[in-house]
Amino acid sequence: MTEPAVALAFFDPDRGLHGSARAGVTLLFEHGRPQALPDGPEVSRDGDGWKAALGNRFELSFAPLSDPLALDGASTRVCRVTGTVDGTKLDCLGTATETVEPPHWDELDALRGITALFDEENAVLALARRPRGAIGHGQEDITAWLLAAGEARKVEDARISTVYDGDGRQRNAGLELWLPGEDFPRRVSGTAATGTTLSLEGLRVNAAVFSWRMEGRDGAGAYEVTIRDEPPEAA
């Protein structure tokens, strides 16, 4: 049986180190400077967690802090991440995502993924899928989870608002999370700290590291927008 593809991410604002890695590409941010590497790491299971290494660039361990949270074809776990990146010791929060069913890009125009990690027991994860031909964000299918005091709660209705710059990159964002039995939404706000754009097999990926705030807590994470990058039609 084929093992699910694993994507890993870590966010260490204290040391100015952030990164994401998956098969075929690794993206590192060091003090705001992005660097895309053409290789993914070697990933192996380590008990119920993972180890990841890429040459002399990094060697990291991902120890799960949460149960798997289902995000439409994938499952994500919040993790404690330890190890080294370019010789600097790392101890921070991150995520490990196993993809069981990859996105069907013949049916999609865009994906938006949000990770907001506040501490070991509080986080927000969201994935928005825009069907092909949909007009605007109002027709997206959004799956979201709130991890509150260690308890995973499925969001009943999530709304994501985003401010983009002139090049279409996400700069600021706000989330409203409506939970069953609650009369008012939980709110999250975020601002891009750094970012870059990648082209991957017919897709354009706007990857941004975000600083997040929710209910008096400051956190770090990501806001990634993946868009179908179709060539212009011939005249």
Side-chain angles (χ1 to χ4, degrees):
M1 182 176 179
T2 304
E3 289 288 326
V6 180
L8 303 170
F10 62 88
F11 309 98
D12 193 337
D14 293 337
R15 295 170 180 83
L17 293 172
H18 315 280
S20 62
R22 66 196 73 179
V25 65
T26 298
L27 183 59
L28 296 177
F29 294 94
E30 298 189 49
H31 304 287
R33 298 185 299 272
Q35 184 180 12
L37 306 176
D39 299 309
E42 293 184 8
V43 178
S44 59
R45 291 304 300 252
D46 182 25
D48 62 349
W50 296 264
K51 286 186 177 295
L54 181 61
N56 61 358
R57 299 304 304 269
F58 62 78
E59 187 171 341
L60 299 170
S61 295
F62 289 73
L65 298 170
S66 74
D67 291 331
L69 305 176
L71 289 168
D72 203 358
S75 65
T76 296
R77 300 179 79 165
V78 176
C79 296
R80 170 60 60 181
V81 185
T82 56
T84 58
V85 176
D86 288 336
T88 299
K89 288 187 177 180
L90 198 75
D91 187 353
C92 62
L93 297 175
T95 58
T97 300
E98 293 185 300
T99 298
V100 178
E101 183 178 355
H104 297 288
W105 280 101
D106 57 336
E107 302 173 359
L108 296 171
D109 277 340
L111 285 177
R112 298 194 290 164
I114 287 176
T115 303
L117 308 177
F118 300 100
D119 55 44
E120 291 190 350
E121 294 190 330
N122 295 278
V124 173
L125 303 172
L127 178 69
R129 302 166 64 94
R130 190 186 308 168
R132 191 160 195 186
I135 302 174
H137 301 321
Q139 296 181 14
E140 287 181 320
D141 298 321
I142 303 177
T143 303
W145 288 88
L146 171 66
L147 188 66
E151 178 188 359
R153 303 183 63 185
K154 183 75 176 290
V155 176
E156 189 171 64
D157 183 23
R159 303 171 190 177
I160 304 171
S161 58
T162 308
V163 176
Y164 298 90
D165 65 16
D167 294 320
R169 299 184 179 95
Q170 56 277 25
R171 303 305 306 163
N172 299 284
L175 286 79
E176 289 187 351
L177 308 175
W178 296 82
L179 296 167
E182 295 189 359
D183 294 329
F184 301 97
R186 310 284 186 100
R187 289 186 167 88
V188 188
S189 61
T191 302
T194 183
T196 191
T197 298
L198 304 174
S199 293
L200 300 173
E201 299 179 353
L203 302 173
R204 186 172 77 253
V205 182
N206 293 331
V209 175
F210 258 59
S211 299
W212 295 102
R213 186 167 180 81
M214 179 181 183
E215 298 175 350
R217 293 185 176 91
D218 292 318
Y223 185 170
E224 187 172 286
V225 179
T226 305
I227 305 167
R228 180 196 300 274
D229 195 9
E230 294 180 325
E233 296 182 3

